[in-house]
Amino acid sequence: VAVSKTKPAAAVAAAYAAGHRHFGENYAQELISKSMELPADVQWHFIGRLQSNKAKSLVKSCPSLACVETVDSEKLARVLDKGAVEAGRATKLRVMVQVNSSGEASKAGVAPSECVALCRVVAEECPALELAGLMTIGAPDYSGCRTEDFETLRRCRSEVAEALGREVSSLELSMGMSNDFERAILE
């Protein structure tokens, strides 16, 4: 996913022309606006904090919304599910549950101890959603995110897979930023 937040639609169009198809935005209105200006086969990923009151309009206004990577509450999951049903999506909306692996008050996400419960709601009570996996933004250290945050997310994935009777490999992990993605890949 190429993060296109704050970039003009023309820059995203240039990346599209070069062959890229998956773009991430962190503001609902910016994603909606760009989705109307760019080709329909762009796969949009919402990667920012999403307020419940904007969730339904995001789903309805962007048919090529591929994934919401920041589901951090049951309320948001249910609003997205309802929006996907009302939009008449042909496929389930993929979502990732955001886990606050560092425990920082400034970060969104469920506590690791609440991860299984939220994933169960998404998988079992939201028929228009597909649980794609888990996401975290760990606490920074001198070189990027702390590896213990990545380890926590990996452990959460194992717990979710066991609780839902799924293969661990069926749940994606989204973690790491530009400065620490190599360490995230090792997990």
Side-chain angles (χ1 to χ4, degrees), residues 59 66 77-95 121-131:
V59 175
R78 292 189 188 282
V79 170
L80 286 167
D81 183 61
K82 185 174 181 181
V85 169
E86 291 176 4
R89 289 180 58 95
T91 59
K92 291 184 175 192
L93 174 60
R94 294 170 40 106
V95 299
V121 167
V122 170
E124 297 176 357
E125 299 178 28
C126 297
L129 303 182
E130 174 190 341
L131 178 62

mmCIF file with all atom_site columns, all heavy atoms in Angstrom, residues 59 66 77-95 121-131:
data_model
loop_
_atom_site.group_PDB
_atom_site.id
_atom_site.type_symbol
_atom_site.label_atom_id
_atom_site.label_alt_id
_atom_site.label_comp_id
_atom_site.label_asym_id
_atom_site.label_entity_id
_atom_site.label_seq_id
_atom_site.pdbx_PDB_ins_code
_atom_site.Cartn_x
_atom_site.Cartn_y
_atom_site.Cartn_z
_atom_site.occupancy
_atom_site.B_iso_or_equiv
_atom_site.pdbx_formal_charge
_atom_site.auth_seq_id
_atom_site.auth_comp_id
_atom_site.auth_asym_id
_atom_site.auth_atom_id
_atom_site.pdbx_PDB_model_num
ATOM 1   N N   . VAL A 1 59  ? -17.920 4.216   3.265  1.00 0.00 ? 59  VAL A N   1
ATOM 2   C CA  . VAL A 1 59  ? -18.230 2.961   2.578  1.00 0.00 ? 59  VAL A CA  1
ATOM 3   C C   . VAL A 1 59  ? -19.156 3.207   1.391  1.00 0.00 ? 59  VAL A C   1
ATOM 4   O O   . VAL A 1 59  ? -18.944 2.667   0.299  1.00 0.00 ? 59  VAL A O   1
ATOM 5   C CB  . VAL A 1 59  ? -18.855 1.945   3.553  1.00 0.00 ? 59  VAL A CB  1
ATOM 6   C CG1 . VAL A 1 59  ? -19.300 0.692   2.825  1.00 0.00 ? 59  VAL A CG1 1
ATOM 7   C CG2 . VAL A 1 59  ? -17.870 1.586   4.661  1.00 0.00 ? 59  VAL A CG2 1
ATOM 8   N N   . ALA A 1 66  ? -11.054 -0.959  -0.442 1.00 0.00 ? 66  ALA A N   1
ATOM 9   C CA  . ALA A 1 66  ? -10.589 -2.344  -0.324 1.00 0.00 ? 66  ALA A CA  1
ATOM 10  C C   . ALA A 1 66  ? -10.459 -2.796  1.120  1.00 0.00 ? 66  ALA A C   1
ATOM 11  O O   . ALA A 1 66  ? -10.669 -3.964  1.427  1.00 0.00 ? 66  ALA A O   1
ATOM 12  C CB  . ALA A 1 66  ? -9.245  -2.504  -1.027 1.00 0.00 ? 66  ALA A CB  1
ATOM 13  N N   . ALA A 1 77  ? -17.069 -1.277  13.964 1.00 0.00 ? 77  ALA A N   1
ATOM 14  C CA  . ALA A 1 77  ? -17.267 -2.479  13.146 1.00 0.00 ? 77  ALA A CA  1
ATOM 15  C C   . ALA A 1 77  ? -18.722 -2.598  12.713 1.00 0.00 ? 77  ALA A C   1
ATOM 16  O O   . ALA A 1 77  ? -19.015 -2.866  11.547 1.00 0.00 ? 77  ALA A O   1
ATOM 17  C CB  . ALA A 1 77  ? -16.833 -3.718  13.918 1.00 0.00 ? 77  ALA A CB  1
ATOM 18  N N   . ARG A 1 78  ? -19.639 -2.375  13.635 1.00 0.00 ? 78  ARG A N   1
ATOM 19  C CA  . ARG A 1 78  ? -21.062 -2.509  13.309 1.00 0.00 ? 78  ARG A CA  1
ATOM 20  C C   . ARG A 1 78  ? -21.528 -1.418  12.329 1.00 0.00 ? 78  ARG A C   1
ATOM 21  O O   . ARG A 1 78  ? -22.349 -1.677  11.454 1.00 0.00 ? 78  ARG A O   1
ATOM 22  C CB  . ARG A 1 78  ? -21.892 -2.515  14.580 1.00 0.00 ? 78  ARG A CB  1
ATOM 23  C CG  . ARG A 1 78  ? -21.645 -3.776  15.423 1.00 0.00 ? 78  ARG A CG  1
ATOM 24  C CD  . ARG A 1 78  ? -22.618 -3.904  16.575 1.00 0.00 ? 78  ARG A CD  1
ATOM 25  N NE  . ARG A 1 78  ? -22.267 -4.988  17.460 1.00 0.00 ? 78  ARG A NE  1
ATOM 26  C CZ  . ARG A 1 78  ? -22.500 -6.287  17.215 1.00 0.00 ? 78  ARG A CZ  1
ATOM 27  N NH1 . ARG A 1 78  ? -23.071 -6.653  16.092 1.00 0.00 ? 78  ARG A NH1 1
ATOM 28  N NH2 . ARG A 1 78  ? -22.157 -7.209  18.106 1.00 0.00 ? 78  ARG A NH2 1
ATOM 29  N N   . VAL A 1 79  ? -21.004 -0.203  12.472 1.00 0.00 ? 79  VAL A N   1
ATOM 30  C CA  . VAL A 1 79  ? -21.367 0.876   11.543 1.00 0.00 ? 79  VAL A CA  1
ATOM 31  C C   . VAL A 1 79  ? -20.825 0.567   10.145 1.00 0.00 ? 79  VAL A C   1
ATOM 32  O O   . VAL A 1 79  ? -21.528 0.753   9.143  1.00 0.00 ? 79  VAL A O   1
ATOM 33  C CB  . VAL A 1 79  ? -20.868 2.248   12.052 1.00 0.00 ? 79  VAL A CB  1
ATOM 34  C CG1 . VAL A 1 79  ? -21.028 3.328   10.990 1.00 0.00 ? 79  VAL A CG1 1
ATOM 35  C CG2 . VAL A 1 79  ? -21.606 2.650   13.320 1.00 0.00 ? 79  VAL A CG2 1
ATOM 36  N N   . LEU A 1 80  ? -19.601 0.079   10.055 1.00 0.00 ? 80  LEU A N   1
ATOM 37  C CA  . LEU A 1 80  ? -19.037 -0.303  8.764  1.00 0.00 ? 80  LEU A CA  1
ATOM 38  C C   . LEU A 1 80  ? -19.839 -1.437  8.132  1.00 0.00 ? 80  LEU A C   1
ATOM 39  O O   . LEU A 1 80  ? -20.115 -1.427  6.927  1.00 0.00 ? 80  LEU A O   1
ATOM 40  C CB  . LEU A 1 80  ? -17.567 -0.719  8.913  1.00 0.00 ? 80  LEU A CB  1
ATOM 41  C CG  . LEU A 1 80  ? -16.569 0.399   9.154  1.00 0.00 ? 80  LEU A CG  1
ATOM 42  C CD1 . LEU A 1 80  ? -15.224 -0.172  9.599  1.00 0.00 ? 80  LEU A CD1 1
ATOM 43  C CD2 . LEU A 1 80  ? -16.411 1.275   7.924  1.00 0.00 ? 80  LEU A CD2 1
ATOM 44  N N   . ASP A 1 81  ? -20.223 -2.402  8.942  1.00 0.00 ? 81  ASP A N   1
ATOM 45  C CA  . ASP A 1 81  ? -21.019 -3.526  8.452  1.00 0.00 ? 81  ASP A CA  1
ATOM 46  C C   . ASP A 1 81  ? -22.352 -3.033  7.886  1.00 0.00 ? 81  ASP A C   1
ATOM 47  O O   . ASP A 1 81  ? -22.744 -3.391  6.770  1.00 0.00 ? 81  ASP A O   1
ATOM 48  C CB  . ASP A 1 81  ? -21.255 -4.528  9.583  1.00 0.00 ? 81  ASP A CB  1
ATOM 49  C CG  . ASP A 1 81  ? -22.007 -5.754  9.131  1.00 0.00 ? 81  ASP A CG  1
ATOM 50  O OD1 . ASP A 1 81  ? -21.501 -6.474  8.241  1.00 0.00 ? 81  ASP A OD1 1
ATOM 51  O OD2 . ASP A 1 81  ? -23.116 -5.995  9.656  1.00 0.00 ? 81  ASP A OD2 1
ATOM 52  N N   . LYS A 1 82  ? -23.014 -2.187  8.628  1.00 0.00 ? 82  LYS A N   1
ATOM 53  C CA  . LYS A 1 82  ? -24.303 -1.642  8.174  1.00 0.00 ? 82  LYS A CA  1
ATOM 54  C C   . LYS A 1 82  ? -24.116 -0.827  6.895  1.00 0.00 ? 82  LYS A C   1
ATOM 55  O O   . LYS A 1 82  ? -24.909 -0.933  5.953  1.00 0.00 ? 82  LYS A O   1
ATOM 56  C CB  . LYS A 1 82  ? -24.917 -0.781  9.271  1.00 0.00 ? 82  LYS A CB  1
ATOM 57  C CG  . LYS A 1 82  ? -26.310 -0.283  8.943  1.00 0.00 ? 82  LYS A CG  1
ATOM 58  C CD  . LYS A 1 82  ? -26.933 0.452   10.115 1.00 0.00 ? 82  LYS A CD  1
ATOM 59  C CE  . LYS A 1 82  ? -28.338 0.913   9.743  1.00 0.00 ? 82  LYS A CE  1
ATOM 60  N NZ  . LYS A 1 82  ? -28.978 1.654   10.811 1.00 0.00 ? 82  LYS A NZ  1
ATOM 61  N N   . GLY A 1 83  ? -23.072 -0.022  6.842  1.00 0.00 ? 83  GLY A N   1
ATOM 62  C CA  . GLY A 1 83  ? -22.794 0.771   5.654  1.00 0.00 ? 83  GLY A CA  1
ATOM 63  C C   . GLY A 1 83  ? -22.514 -0.098  4.435  1.00 0.00 ? 83  GLY A C   1
ATOM 64  O O   . GLY A 1 83  ? -22.967 0.194   3.328  1.00 0.00 ? 83  GLY A O   1
ATOM 65  N N   . ALA A 1 84  ? -21.781 -1.184  4.634  1.00 0.00 ? 84  ALA A N   1
ATOM 66  C CA  . ALA A 1 84  ? -21.478 -2.095  3.526  1.00 0.00 ? 84  ALA A CA  1
ATOM 67  C C   . ALA A 1 84  ? -22.744 -2.776  3.014  1.00 0.00 ? 84  ALA A C   1
ATOM 68  O O   . ALA A 1 84  ? -22.919 -2.945  1.807  1.00 0.00 ? 84  ALA A O   1
ATOM 69  C CB  . ALA A 1 84  ? -20.445 -3.130  3.964  1.00 0.00 ? 84  ALA A CB  1
ATOM 70  N N   . VAL A 1 85  ? -23.635 -3.147  3.928  1.00 0.00 ? 85  VAL A N   1
ATOM 71  C CA  . VAL A 1 85  ? -24.909 -3.745  3.524  1.00 0.00 ? 85  VAL A CA  1
ATOM 72  C C   . VAL A 1 85  ? -25.728 -2.734  2.730  1.00 0.00 ? 85  VAL A C   1
ATOM 73  O O   . VAL A 1 85  ? -26.238 -3.027  1.640  1.00 0.00 ? 85  VAL A O   1
ATOM 74  C CB  . VAL A 1 85  ? -25.700 -4.250  4.755  1.00 0.00 ? 85  VAL A CB  1
ATOM 75  C CG1 . VAL A 1 85  ? -27.136 -4.619  4.378  1.00 0.00 ? 85  VAL A CG1 1
ATOM 76  C CG2 . VAL A 1 85  ? -24.993 -5.435  5.395  1.00 0.00 ? 85  VAL A CG2 1
ATOM 77  N N   . GLU A 1 86  ? -25.846 -1.522  3.263  1.00 0.00 ? 86  GLU A N   1
ATOM 78  C CA  . GLU A 1 86  ? -26.637 -0.480  2.602  1.00 0.00 ? 86  GLU A CA  1
ATOM 79  C C   . GLU A 1 86  ? -26.051 -0.070  1.253  1.00 0.00 ? 86  GLU A C   1
ATOM 80  O O   . GLU A 1 86  ? -26.793 0.306   0.345  1.00 0.00 ? 86  GLU A O   1
ATOM 81  C CB  . GLU A 1 86  ? -26.786 0.734   3.514  1.00 0.00 ? 86  GLU A CB  1
ATOM 82  C CG  . GLU A 1 86  ? -27.660 0.468   4.718  1.00 0.00 ? 86  GLU A CG  1
ATOM 83  C CD  . GLU A 1 86  ? -27.735 1.635   5.685  1.00 0.00 ? 86  GLU A CD  1
ATOM 84  O OE1 . GLU A 1 86  ? -27.164 2.714   5.402  1.00 0.00 ? 86  GLU A OE1 1
ATOM 85  O OE2 . GLU A 1 86  ? -28.353 1.462   6.757  1.00 0.00 ? 86  GLU A OE2 1
ATOM 86  N N   . ALA A 1 87  ? -24.736 -0.151  1.115  1.00 0.00 ? 87  ALA A N   1
ATOM 87  C CA  . ALA A 1 87  ? -24.090 0.207   -0.152 1.00 0.00 ? 87  ALA A CA  1
ATOM 88  C C   . ALA A 1 87  ? -24.254 -0.886  -1.199 1.00 0.00 ? 87  ALA A C   1
ATOM 89  O O   . ALA A 1 87  ? -23.982 -0.656  -2.377 1.00 0.00 ? 87  ALA A O   1
ATOM 90  C CB  . ALA A 1 87  ? -22.605 0.495   0.079  1.00 0.00 ? 87  ALA A CB  1
ATOM 91  N N   . GLY A 1 88  ? -24.687 -2.065  -0.757 1.00 0.00 ? 88  GLY A N   1
ATOM 92  C CA  . GLY A 1 88  ? -24.872 -3.175  -1.687 1.00 0.00 ? 88  GLY A CA  1
ATOM 93  C C   . GLY A 1 88  ? -23.566 -3.664  -2.295 1.00 0.00 ? 88  GLY A C   1
ATOM 94  O O   . GLY A 1 88  ? -23.521 -4.042  -3.465 1.00 0.00 ? 88  GLY A O   1
ATOM 95  N N   . ARG A 1 89  ? -22.522 -3.687  -1.497 1.00 0.00 ? 89  ARG A N   1
ATOM 96  C CA  . ARG A 1 89  ? -21.212 -4.132  -1.986 1.00 0.00 ? 89  ARG A CA  1
ATOM 97  C C   . ARG A 1 89  ? -21.296 -5.557  -2.531 1.00 0.00 ? 89  ARG A C   1
ATOM 98  O O   . ARG A 1 89  ? -21.935 -6.416  -1.936 1.00 0.00 ? 89  ARG A O   1
ATOM 99  C CB  . ARG A 1 89  ? -20.177 -4.081  -0.872 1.00 0.00 ? 89  ARG A CB  1
ATOM 100 C CG  . ARG A 1 89  ? -19.781 -2.669  -0.463 1.00 0.00 ? 89  ARG A CG  1
ATOM 101 C CD  . ARG A 1 89  ? -18.762 -2.700  0.650  1.00 0.00 ? 89  ARG A CD  1
ATOM 102 N NE  . ARG A 1 89  ? -17.559 -3.423  0.292  1.00 0.00 ? 89  ARG A NE  1
ATOM 103 C CZ  . ARG A 1 89  ? -16.439 -2.856  -0.188 1.00 0.00 ? 89  ARG A CZ  1
ATOM 104 N NH1 . ARG A 1 89  ? -16.394 -1.549  -0.356 1.00 0.00 ? 89  ARG A NH1 1
ATOM 105 N NH2 . ARG A 1 89  ? -15.391 -3.596  -0.480 1.00 0.00 ? 89  ARG A NH2 1
ATOM 106 N N   . ALA A 1 90  ? -20.607 -5.799  -3.620 1.00 0.00 ? 90  ALA A N   1
ATOM 107 C CA  . ALA A 1 90  ? -20.577 -7.130  -4.221 1.00 0.00 ? 90  ALA A CA  1
ATOM 108 C C   . ALA A 1 90  ? -19.688 -8.078  -3.420 1.00 0.00 ? 90  ALA A C   1
ATOM 109 O O   . ALA A 1 90  ? -19.881 -9.294  -3.457 1.00 0.00 ? 90  ALA A O   1
ATOM 110 C CB  . ALA A 1 90  ? -20.084 -7.042  -5.659 1.00 0.00 ? 90  ALA A CB  1
ATOM 111 N N   . THR A 1 91  ? -18.710 -7.526  -2.728 1.00 0.00 ? 91  THR A N   1
ATOM 112 C CA  . THR A 1 91  ? -17.804 -8.338  -1.911 1.00 0.00 ? 91  THR A CA  1
ATOM 113 C C   . THR A 1 91  ? -17.795 -7.782  -0.492 1.00 0.00 ? 91  THR A C   1
ATOM 114 O O   . THR A 1 91  ? -18.141 -6.626  -0.255 1.00 0.00 ? 91  THR A O   1
ATOM 115 C CB  . THR A 1 91  ? -16.362 -8.298  -2.460 1.00 0.00 ? 91  THR A CB  1
ATOM 116 O OG1 . THR A 1 91  ? -15.904 -6.944  -2.470 1.00 0.00 ? 91  THR A OG1 1
ATOM 117 C CG2 . THR A 1 91  ? -16.294 -8.876  -3.869 1.00 0.00 ? 91  THR A CG2 1
ATOM 118 N N   . LYS A 1 92  ? -17.352 -8.615  0.420  1.00 0.00 ? 92  LYS A N   1
ATOM 119 C CA  . LYS A 1 92  ? -17.229 -8.160  1.800  1.00 0.00 ? 92  LYS A CA  1
ATOM 120 C C   . LYS A 1 92  ? -16.150 -7.089  1.897  1.00 0.00 ? 92  LYS A C   1
ATOM 121 O O   . LYS A 1 92  ? -15.160 -7.118  1.162  1.00 0.00 ? 92  LYS A O   1
ATOM 122 C CB  . LYS A 1 92  ? -16.861 -9.333  2.713  1.00 0.00 ? 92  LYS A CB  1
ATOM 123 C CG  . LYS A 1 92  ? -17.962 -10.347 2.873  1.00 0.00 ? 92  LYS A CG  1
ATOM 124 C CD  . LYS A 1 92  ? -17.540 -11.423 3.861  1.00 0.00 ? 92  LYS A CD  1
ATOM 125 C CE  . LYS A 1 92  ? -18.687 -12.376 4.112  1.00 0.00 ? 92  LYS A CE  1
ATOM 126 N NZ  . LYS A 1 92  ? -18.407 -13.242 5.276  1.00 0.00 ? 92  LYS A NZ  1
ATOM 127 N N   . LEU A 1 93  ? -16.346 -6.160  2.811  1.00 0.00 ? 93  LEU A N   1
ATOM 128 C CA  . LEU A 1 93  ? -15.342 -5.132  3.078  1.00 0.00 ? 93  LEU A CA  1
ATOM 129 C C   . LEU A 1 93  ? -14.306 -5.726  4.022  1.00 0.00 ? 93  LEU A C   1
ATOM 130 O O   . LEU A 1 93  ? -14.626 -6.175  5.121  1.00 0.00 ? 93  LEU A O   1
ATOM 131 C CB  . LEU A 1 93  ? -15.991 -3.900  3.717  1.00 0.00 ? 93  LEU A CB  1
ATOM 132 C CG  . LEU A 1 93  ? -15.032 -2.798  4.172  1.00 0.00 ? 93  LEU A CG  1
ATOM 133 C CD1 . LEU A 1 93  ? -14.222 -2.248  2.982  1.00 0.00 ? 93  LEU A CD1 1
ATOM 134 C CD2 . LEU A 1 93  ? -15.800 -1.681  4.872  1.00 0.00 ? 93  LEU A CD2 1
ATOM 135 N N   . ARG A 1 94  ? -13.074 -5.730  3.570  1.00 0.00 ? 94  ARG A N   1
ATOM 136 C CA  . ARG A 1 94  ? -11.984 -6.238  4.410  1.00 0.00 ? 94  ARG A CA  1
ATOM 137 C C   . ARG A 1 94  ? -11.672 -5.212  5.494  1.00 0.00 ? 94  ARG A C   1
ATOM 138 O O   . ARG A 1 94  ? -11.618 -4.014  5.224  1.00 0.00 ? 94  ARG A O   1
ATOM 139 C CB  . ARG A 1 94  ? -10.747 -6.507  3.558  1.00 0.00 ? 94  ARG A CB  1
ATOM 140 C CG  . ARG A 1 94  ? -10.952 -7.641  2.564  1.00 0.00 ? 94  ARG A CG  1
ATOM 141 C CD  . ARG A 1 94  ? -9.798  -7.714  1.595  1.00 0.00 ? 94  ARG A CD  1
ATOM 142 N NE  . ARG A 1 94  ? -8.540  -7.462  2.283  1.00 0.00 ? 94  ARG A NE  1
ATOM 143 C CZ  . ARG A 1 94  ? -7.624  -8.391  2.589  1.00 0.00 ? 94  ARG A CZ  1
ATOM 144 N NH1 . ARG A 1 94  ? -7.766  -9.597  2.203  1.00 0.00 ? 94  ARG A NH1 1
ATOM 145 N NH2 . ARG A 1 94  ? -6.530  -8.088  3.239  1.00 0.00 ? 94  ARG A NH2 1
ATOM 146 N N   . VAL A 1 95  ? -11.448 -5.696  6.702  1.00 0.00 ? 95  VAL A N   1
ATOM 147 C CA  . VAL A 1 95  ? -11.087 -4.821  7.807  1.00 0.00 ? 95  VAL A CA  1
ATOM 148 C C   . VAL A 1 95  ? -9.952  -5.450  8.609  1.00 0.00 ? 95  VAL A C   1
ATOM 149 O O   . VAL A 1 95  ? -9.801  -6.669  8.644  1.00 0.00 ? 95  VAL A O   1
ATOM 150 C CB  . VAL A 1 95  ? -12.285 -4.514  8.751  1.00 0.00 ? 95  VAL A CB  1
ATOM 151 C CG1 . VAL A 1 95  ? -13.405 -3.812  8.010  1.00 0.00 ? 95  VAL A CG1 1
ATOM 152 C CG2 . VAL A 1 95  ? -12.791 -5.759  9.442  1.00 0.00 ? 95  VAL A CG2 1
ATOM 153 N N   . VAL A 1 121 ? -16.427 -10.434 17.127 1.00 0.00 ? 121 VAL A N   1
ATOM 154 C CA  . VAL A 1 121 ? -17.583 -9.646  16.686 1.00 0.00 ? 121 VAL A CA  1
ATOM 155 C C   . VAL A 1 121 ? -17.526 -9.444  15.171 1.00 0.00 ? 121 VAL A C   1
ATOM 156 O O   . VAL A 1 121 ? -18.518 -9.651  14.467 1.00 0.00 ? 121 VAL A O   1
ATOM 157 C CB  . VAL A 1 121 ? -17.644 -8.287  17.421 1.00 0.00 ? 121 VAL A CB  1
ATOM 158 C CG1 . VAL A 1 121 ? -18.645 -7.344  16.755 1.00 0.00 ? 121 VAL A CG1 1
ATOM 159 C CG2 . VAL A 1 121 ? -18.009 -8.489  18.881 1.00 0.00 ? 121 VAL A CG2 1
ATOM 160 N N   . VAL A 1 122 ? -16.367 -9.043  14.665 1.00 0.00 ? 122 VAL A N   1
ATOM 161 C CA  . VAL A 1 122 ? -16.225 -8.806  13.226 1.00 0.00 ? 122 VAL A CA  1
ATOM 162 C C   . VAL A 1 122 ? -16.499 -10.095 12.454 1.00 0.00 ? 122 VAL A C   1
ATOM 163 O O   . VAL A 1 122 ? -17.274 -10.104 11.488 1.00 0.00 ? 122 VAL A O   1
ATOM 164 C CB  . VAL A 1 122 ? -14.816 -8.262  12.892 1.00 0.00 ? 122 VAL A CB  1
ATOM 165 C CG1 . VAL A 1 122 ? -14.583 -8.244  11.383 1.00 0.00 ? 122 VAL A CG1 1
ATOM 166 C CG2 . VAL A 1 122 ? -14.618 -6.867  13.480 1.00 0.00 ? 122 VAL A CG2 1
ATOM 167 N N   . ALA A 1 123 ? -15.881 -11.185 12.862 1.00 0.00 ? 123 ALA A N   1
ATOM 168 C CA  . ALA A 1 123 ? -15.970 -12.443 12.115 1.00 0.00 ? 123 ALA A CA  1
ATOM 169 C C   . ALA A 1 123 ? -17.338 -13.111 12.222 1.00 0.00 ? 123 ALA A C   1
ATOM 170 O O   . ALA A 1 123 ? -17.795 -13.735 11.267 1.00 0.00 ? 123 ALA A O   1
ATOM 171 C CB  . ALA A 1 123 ? -14.886 -13.403 12.597 1.00 0.00 ? 123 ALA A CB  1
ATOM 172 N N   . GLU A 1 124 ? -17.994 -12.968 13.365 1.00 0.00 ? 124 GLU A N   1
ATOM 173 C CA  . GLU A 1 124 ? -19.222 -13.741 13.600 1.00 0.00 ? 124 GLU A CA  1
ATOM 174 C C   . GLU A 1 124 ? -20.502 -12.920 13.569 1.00 0.00 ? 124 GLU A C   1
ATOM 175 O O   . GLU A 1 124 ? -21.578 -13.478 13.391 1.00 0.00 ? 124 GLU A O   1
ATOM 176 C CB  . GLU A 1 124 ? -19.109 -14.473 14.935 1.00 0.00 ? 124 GLU A CB  1
ATOM 177 C CG  . GLU A 1 124 ? -17.968 -15.493 14.945 1.00 0.00 ? 124 GLU A CG  1
ATOM 178 C CD  . GLU A 1 124 ? -17.759 -16.162 16.291 1.00 0.00 ? 124 GLU A CD  1
ATOM 179 O OE1 . GLU A 1 124 ? -18.463 -15.809 17.279 1.00 0.00 ? 124 GLU A OE1 1
ATOM 180 O OE2 . GLU A 1 124 ? -16.862 -17.030 16.376 1.00 0.00 ? 124 GLU A OE2 1
ATOM 181 N N   . GLU A 1 125 ? -20.400 -11.605 13.741 1.00 0.00 ? 125 GLU A N   1
ATOM 182 C CA  . GLU A 1 125 ? -21.616 -10.798 13.843 1.00 0.00 ? 125 GLU A CA  1
ATOM 183 C C   . GLU A 1 125 ? -21.717 -9.688  12.798 1.00 0.00 ? 125 GLU A C   1
ATOM 184 O O   . GLU A 1 125 ? -22.689 -8.939  12.798 1.00 0.00 ? 125 GLU A O   1
ATOM 185 C CB  . GLU A 1 125 ? -21.712 -10.184 15.245 1.00 0.00 ? 125 GLU A CB  1
ATOM 186 C CG  . GLU A 1 125 ? -21.788 -11.224 16.348 1.00 0.00 ? 125 GLU A CG  1
ATOM 187 C CD  . GLU A 1 125 ? -21.839 -10.623 17.736 1.00 0.00 ? 125 GLU A CD  1
ATOM 188 O OE1 . GLU A 1 125 ? -22.333 -9.479  17.876 1.00 0.00 ? 125 GLU A OE1 1
ATOM 189 O OE2 . GLU A 1 125 ? -21.354 -11.278 18.678 1.00 0.00 ? 125 GLU A OE2 1
ATOM 190 N N   . CYS A 1 126 ? -20.738 -9.594  11.919 1.00 0.00 ? 126 CYS A N   1
ATOM 191 C CA  . CYS A 1 126 ? -20.734 -8.561  10.877 1.00 0.00 ? 126 CYS A CA  1
ATOM 192 C C   . CYS A 1 126 ? -20.602 -9.248  9.516  1.00 0.00 ? 126 CYS A C   1
ATOM 193 O O   . CYS A 1 126 ? -19.498 -9.345  8.965  1.00 0.00 ? 126 CYS A O   1
ATOM 194 C CB  . CYS A 1 126 ? -19.593 -7.573  11.115 1.00 0.00 ? 126 CYS A CB  1
ATOM 195 S SG  . CYS A 1 126 ? -19.733 -6.641  12.658 1.00 0.00 ? 126 CYS A SG  1
ATOM 196 N N   . PRO A 1 127 ? -21.709 -9.719  8.965  1.00 0.00 ? 127 PRO A N   1
ATOM 197 C CA  . PRO A 1 127 ? -21.644 -10.531 7.744  1.00 0.00 ? 127 PRO A CA  1
ATOM 198 C C   . PRO A 1 127 ? -21.134 -9.807  6.506  1.00 0.00 ? 127 PRO A C   1
ATOM 199 O O   . PRO A 1 127 ? -20.702 -10.461 5.553  1.00 0.00 ? 127 PRO A O   1
ATOM 200 C CB  . PRO A 1 127 ? -23.099 -10.987 7.552  1.00 0.00 ? 127 PRO A CB  1
ATOM 201 C CG  . PRO A 1 127 ? -23.922 -10.008 8.312  1.00 0.00 ? 127 PRO A CG  1
ATOM 202 C CD  . PRO A 1 127 ? -23.075 -9.554  9.464  1.00 0.00 ? 127 PRO A CD  1
ATOM 203 N N   . ALA A 1 128 ? -21.140 -8.488  6.489  1.00 0.00 ? 128 ALA A N   1
ATOM 204 C CA  . ALA A 1 128 ? -20.648 -7.747  5.325  1.00 0.00 ? 128 ALA A CA  1
ATOM 205 C C   . ALA A 1 128 ? -19.167 -7.403  5.436  1.00 0.00 ? 128 ALA A C   1
ATOM 206 O O   . ALA A 1 128 ? -18.602 -6.771  4.549  1.00 0.00 ? 128 ALA A O   1
ATOM 207 C CB  . ALA A 1 128 ? -21.477 -6.482  5.122  1.00 0.00 ? 128 ALA A CB  1
ATOM 208 N N   . LEU A 1 129 ? -18.537 -7.823  6.544  1.00 0.00 ? 129 LEU A N   1
ATOM 209 C CA  . LEU A 1 129 ? -17.114 -7.563  6.753  1.00 0.00 ? 129 LEU A CA  1
ATOM 210 C C   . LEU A 1 129 ? -16.323 -8.858  6.694  1.00 0.00 ? 129 LEU A C   1
ATOM 211 O O   . LEU A 1 129 ? -16.826 -9.921  7.052  1.00 0.00 ? 129 LEU A O   1
ATOM 212 C CB  . LEU A 1 129 ? -16.875 -6.899  8.114  1.00 0.00 ? 129 LEU A CB  1
ATOM 213 C CG  . LEU A 1 129 ? -17.599 -5.592  8.404  1.00 0.00 ? 129 LEU A CG  1
ATOM 214 C CD1 . LEU A 1 129 ? -17.190 -5.065  9.779  1.00 0.00 ? 129 LEU A CD1 1
ATOM 215 C CD2 . LEU A 1 129 ? -17.356 -4.560  7.318  1.00 0.00 ? 129 LEU A CD2 1
ATOM 216 N N   . GLU A 1 130 ? -15.079 -8.738  6.273  1.00 0.00 ? 130 GLU A N   1
ATOM 217 C CA  . GLU A 1 130 ? -14.142 -9.859  6.299  1.00 0.00 ? 130 GLU A CA  1
ATOM 218 C C   . GLU A 1 130 ? -12.971 -9.465  7.189  1.00 0.00 ? 130 GLU A C   1
ATOM 219 O O   . GLU A 1 130 ? -12.324 -8.439  6.948  1.00 0.00 ? 130 GLU A O   1
ATOM 220 C CB  . GLU A 1 130 ? -13.619 -10.160 4.894  1.00 0.00 ? 130 GLU A CB  1
ATOM 221 C CG  . GLU A 1 130 ? -12.539 -11.223 4.871  1.00 0.00 ? 130 GLU A CG  1
ATOM 222 C CD  . GLU A 1 130 ? -11.856 -11.357 3.520  1.00 0.00 ? 130 GLU A CD  1
ATOM 223 O OE1 . GLU A 1 130 ? -12.416 -10.908 2.509  1.00 0.00 ? 130 GLU A OE1 1
ATOM 224 O OE2 . GLU A 1 130 ? -10.747 -11.901 3.503  1.00 0.00 ? 130 GLU A OE2 1
ATOM 225 N N   . LEU A 1 131 ? -12.717 -10.258 8.208  1.00 0.00 ? 131 LEU A N   1
ATOM 226 C CA  . LEU A 1 131 ? -11.578 -9.992  9.079  1.00 0.00 ? 131 LEU A CA  1
ATOM 227 C C   . LEU A 1 131 ? -10.306 -10.351 8.315  1.00 0.00 ? 131 LEU A C   1
ATOM 228 O O   . LEU A 1 131 ? -10.000 -11.519 8.103  1.00 0.00 ? 131 LEU A O   1
ATOM 229 C CB  . LEU A 1 131 ? -11.669 -10.797 10.372 1.00 0.00 ? 131 LEU A CB  1
ATOM 230 C CG  . LEU A 1 131 ? -10.501 -10.621 11.343 1.00 0.00 ? 131 LEU A CG  1
ATOM 231 C CD1 . LEU A 1 131 ? -10.399 -9.177  11.823 1.00 0.00 ? 131 LEU A CD1 1
ATOM 232 C CD2 . LEU A 1 131 ? -10.636 -11.575 12.521 1.00 0.00 ? 131 LEU A CD2 1
#
